[in-house]
Amino acid sequence: MRIELEKRAERSKTLAWASPVIAVLATMVTGGLIFAALGKPPLAALWVFFVEPFASLWSLEELVVKATPLILIGVGLSVAYRANVWNIGAEGQLTAGALLGSTVPILFNAWNTPATLLAMLVLGAIGGMLWALIPAVLKIKAGANEILVSLMLVYVAQLLLDWLVRGPWRDPHGYNFPKSVAFENWQTMPTIGEGRLNLGIFIAVLIAVVLAVVMRRTIKGYEVRVMGEAPRAGRFAGFSADRMVLFSFLLSGGLAGLAGVIEVASTVGQLQPNISPGYGFTAIIVAFLGRLDPVGVVIAALMLAASYLGGEAAQIALGISDKAARVFQGVLLFWVLACDTLILYRPRLVRGPTAEAAR
Amino acid sequence: MSGSAAADLEASASSADEYLVEARGIVKRFGAFTANDHVDLGVRPGEIHALLGENGAGKSTLVKMIYGSLQPTEGRFFWKGAPTVITDPASARRLGVGMVFQHFSLFEALTVAENIALALPGPLDMKALTTRIRDLSLDYGLPLEPRATVADLSVGERQRIEIVRCLIQEPKLLIMDEPTAVLTPQEADQLFLTLERLAGEGCAVLYISHRLEEVKRLCHAATILRHGKVVARVDPRAETAASLARLMVGADVHAIRPKHARIAGPTRLHIERLDLPATGPFSVALRQVTLELRAGEILGIAGVAGNGQSEFFDAVSGERTVERDGAVVIDGHACGHLGVSERRALGAAFVPEERLGHGAVPAFSLSENVVLTRHATCEDSGRSRGGFLDFGRSRSTAERVSEAFDVRKGKPDPEARSLSGGNLQKFVVGRELDRRPTLLVVNQPTWGVDAGAAALIRQALVDLAADGSAVLMISQDLDEIFEIADRIAVISRGRLSPAYDAHVMTLEKIGLLMGGAHGGSDRVEEAARLREADGHAH
């Protein structure tokens, strides 16, 4: 008796949507086993991890705040990955966007009008694009592997940020802490209500909706999908692979940069050595869990945001390391990719001898 | 079920011991699809046994089981009368089965001797092996230079390596999968002599083909498969090509209606001394390719695979552009630097060799695949000026194409990869013909397509030319070229011969041109032979 995978003639539409659900359930089971192995009551731990983030108004608000950058980066990455362009360096583009956007409040601190915020957002997107342009151009001109180049540039951007906030951009009145001046009024995102909820989520959802329409209903979205599925056919259709690499990197990099500047202009409120708990990497999981579809990404971003909150809650309530959240995210990505096999293959129990047994 | 199997056993028991290899009641299922349905086959020593059938009839599946690379779902194999389980290709080779695949498995960067050594078990003396390869290959009329690098060899020579690699292991059964598909007529003749000699020495040959003339000429027995079942066992020497075709297809294959007169219309495609550098070590450079194609005619380009056909197609379609604008002129417009979309806008249409992944996106539905070649010209693709797509419109286009070209599909708008080769090819050709192009360039129009679909596609090409369009057809299938082309040119090592009228072309002449006989003054002898062949034709 053995299990054979059998290729389906067509991809299964049902499983295309069921696969992330199965993946989430499998992650919970795996998570329960990990908790049990750590000597924690599995059910209670799962409750803290997966249910409590949705249980109070405060945590729901915080969920949306954490989902905002994940949505922005995730939709950009989902388009790039659809085109088979592997931008792994969104974290670096986020940092670059935050840096360029912050030049406005740091270097022109006196300017404080609605246009200030607009300039910050635009510069943030441009910063991400410029950072993403490096792996794109190296891939087109020199055939360099975009995965390695974009990933390595993450650390370059983070070290640049570190140097700036400890050096030239350090707040002169900041008691030598490695921080820039605090951003105020129109140097920050307008908030909604009393908490940390801000305008960013509306920008994120609006962009997700626009990209959903672009991907489904326009020739550009069609081009992205053709180039990802069958580049040879894309060339036959008259599309250019190089232009697609450039487009994918500019779009995903620009959105990561925008997420970066929104983050420093809202929850962080200034530049400091750590401005993101790895949103740019988590967004890779978001993109895959959301089926590389902008609408799916919005849902997946809320899920992954919950894992950040759950990780914090588990740290407080159960004394589990905050690394637990990253472990969960990794387990989730594993199950998402594993379950995707079911879309193209059907598992089947086979009786009878295997090739080895017959020998 | 068990009763009939027992009866089968009894019936074959008397003749069982004279078969070298025998298959009884072989069933092979891939999921819901049954590739082999209770197939019985017996091959005697010294017999050249043809396995005939259309594409998808289950020939390759059956021989892969004999060669051990697939396992049957039901049924058994017998080797010299004893039940045998062939678990893998290594145990098949130990039994004495050798196989020459349609697609070669050779390392291009290694030498002939190294490639052969890789297939042999145990430690080797390379010097002795080199001598043995040279002797054996000369002995069987398949001359090979053991120290030559595979990348430098022609397809015919590469096939010789595969054959010699089998012969060196002294096989009792040699399986050949469509061996002549890649050979010039002269190379095929040489191969037949070798096979006849092998059979004379007592080696059995299982010969897979759908070329009926050569089966009639070469084989002593034939088993015909249709939809995975054995439909007939015949002596091919006593049959006609038509009767064999009828058995294979299960119906009469209707002959192509010829178009009446050739219209000498305006020039639709003019290629003027086109040069194209090779993109890699295994790609072919085009040199000084020149041709002129007029409205109303079909120009066939014959040639053995890998002589620059796909490079030529890319240069004509605009997937690769050239520096000099005048090298490619479509309908009077110099367009060497124009891309494929701009060339389509000039009224040209293109059908590449590879259906899946080049002519169509496998994971896309047919309606989405309509957009692929039509979005640039906006015709019925569903694309609006603003860049939006209306898949309702592309769906109705797909439906119209499917109806006109008899594309059979399981549901209204299936993914391209779920269609059979023949049906997808009908769709890909139909999608272009539906645009009423003034110039159609098609590479291997009926490659890997069943006889019914092939006839439909060829008829459509003939009708298109009769309506005043120009058709450039690149094909390895000489029967196809002779059937519908008005003029024939031959491509060899990136050079194109002049085009000759089809009625003065002979198989022999094409064979010489395939060998590169039009190359220039250094090939005086070949040119003389060609002139001689010319003389025979007149």
Side-chain angles (χ1 to χ4, degrees), chain B residues 122-143:
Chain B
L124 286 167
D125 174 0
M126 277 308 277
K127 204 174 257 175
L129 182 69
T130 304
T131 323
R132 189 139 168 255
I133 291 168
R134 196 172 285 129
D135 294 350
L136 191 76
S137 63
L138 280 176
D139 193 20
Y140 279 95
L142 305 164

Side-chain angles (χ1 to χ4, degrees), chain A residues 6 9-11 213 216-219 222 225-226 229-230 232-233 235-239 344 355 358-359, chain B residues 31 88 314 319 340-341 344 350 352 357-358 363-364 368 372-373 375 387-389 391 411 414-415 418:
Chain A
E6 211 173 83
E10 293 208 16
R11 64 177 76 197
V213 174
R216 277 164 216 201
R217 287 271 168 259
T218 69
I219 190 74
Y222 181 83
R225 291 188 292 134
V226 172
E229 285 284 347
R232 192 83 179 79
R235 202 168 86 188
F236 184 57
F239 303 140
L344 274 178
R359 201 169 296 178
Chain B
D88 51 45
D314 285 356
E319 288 178 81
V340 62
S341 293
R344 286 197 181 105
F350 311 99
H358 191 172
F364 279 15
E368 288 178 299
L372 199 68
T373 58
H375 67 90
F388 282 88
L389 290 172
F391 284 109
K411 53 187 206 178
E415 283 176 14
S418 70

Side-chain angles (χ1 to χ4, degrees), chain A residues 53-123:
Chain A
F54 299 95
S56 75
L57 194 61
W58 172 85
S59 58
L60 278 178
E61 226 172 64
E62 200 57 20
L63 195 69
V64 172
V65 168
K66 288 210 156 38
T68 303
L70 291 179
I71 294 172
L72 277 171
I73 306 169
V75 289
L77 290 183
S78 71
V79 173
Y81 295 167
R82 267 290 165 89
N84 233 344
V85 174
W86 299 101
N87 178 6
I88 304 297
E91 184 77 6
Q93 292 137 23
L94 174 150
T95 309
L99 276 180
L100 199 64
S102 299
T103 53
V104 176
I106 292 173
L107 302 180
F108 309 95
N109 194 258
W111 185 33
N112 206 323
T113 68
T116 311
L117 181 64
L118 193 67
M120 287 172 69
L121 294 181
V122 170
L123 281 176

Side-chain angles (χ1 to χ4, degrees), chain A residues 138-191:
Chain A
L138 285 177
K139 181 178 174 69
I140 293 167
K141 294 286 173 208
N145 183 312
E146 78 268 32
I147 298 177
L148 290 177
V149 177
S150 63
L151 179 63
M152 290 190 296
L153 281 171
V154 171
Y155 308 108
V156 177
Q158 286 176 340
L159 289 170
L160 185 64
L161 168 69
D162 202 74
W163 173 70
L164 282 172
V165 294
R166 288 176 203 277
W169 287 5
R170 189 173 55 191
D171 181 3
H173 311 292
Y175 307 103
N176 259 347
F177 280 108
K179 289 183 175 190
S180 74
V181 291
F183 303 166
E184 284 161 350
N185 299 328
W186 283 111
Q187 294 161 345
T188 63
M189 298 296 288
T191 54

